[in-house]
Amino acid sequence: MPTTSDDERMLRGAGLRVTRPRLAVLSVVHTQPHADTDSIITAVRKEFGPVSHQAVYDVLHALTAAGLVRRFQPSGSVARYEARGRDNHHHLVCRSCGAIADVEGTVGDTACLTAPDASGYDVGEAEVIYWGRCPECVAASTSGG
């Protein structure tokens, strides 16, 4: 997990000013991958003190635009944020409890990056979400719980 000085370097490297709200949000996103906005706001307030909803939304937008945070939104869910965004990983979502896990994507010339009809687009990334049930929910259903 990055330190405060690492976060400061990341912000400066992305051309962003180092501010208390940006450091706070970036720290929370690193420690709570796949968190939604409300969870991020709660954690920032608990760890770093008062901050407005709008400030957190603005910071998340700036960090996402700068490529320091990745935003993704599984169907039927609120937006989620993670610091791991510069690789080709995908997500597993549990249909029962909503748990989210990362799954490694393939590297190189992959089928998911070769659209059957790209209509002239130069495809650079694909977002894949696998849906199923997590091990805990599978175990609970087979044990009669």
Side-chain angles (χ1 to χ4, degrees):
M1 179 171 56
T3 63
T4 300
S5 60
D6 292 334
D7 289 345
E8 289 174 359
R9 276 193 291 280
M10 282 190 281
L11 289 168
R12 286 187 184 105
L16 297 174
R17 286 185 314 114
V18 176
T19 65
R20 187 182 66 84
R22 285 179 178 162
L23 288 171
V25 170
L26 196 53
S27 174
V28 168
V29 171
H30 279 287
T31 60
Q32 296 184 25
H34 312 134
D36 62 27
T37 307
D38 286 340
S39 299
I40 293 169
I41 291 168
T42 300
V44 166
R45 288 178 175 167
K46 181 178 179 185
E47 295 290 321
F48 300 95
V51 65
S52 72
H53 277 76
Q54 191 59 51
V56 172
Y57 281 105
D58 291 347
V59 168
L60 285 169
H61 178 74
L63 295 176
T64 301
L68 297 177
V69 167
R70 179 180 178 193
R71 179 188 186 275
F72 68 100
Q73 188 168 3
S75 179
S77 175
V78 296
R80 306 295 180 135
Y81 296 89
E82 62 185 350
R84 183 180 173 193
R86 296 182 188 255
D87 61 3
N88 187 34
H89 79 279
H90 306 300
H91 297 99
L92 295 160
V93 179
C94 179
R95 288 189 186 276
S96 297
C97 71
I100 300 173
D102 291 334
V103 61
E104 298 304 317
T106 55
V107 178
D109 186 21
T110 62
C112 66
L113 292 180
T114 307
D117 174 17
S119 299
Y121 283 76
D122 178 15
V123 178
E125 87 182 74
E127 187 171 306
V128 177
I129 298 178
Y130 299 96
W131 295 88
R133 291 187 304 146
C134 69
E136 291 80 11
C137 289
V138 170
S141 69
T142 58
S143 67

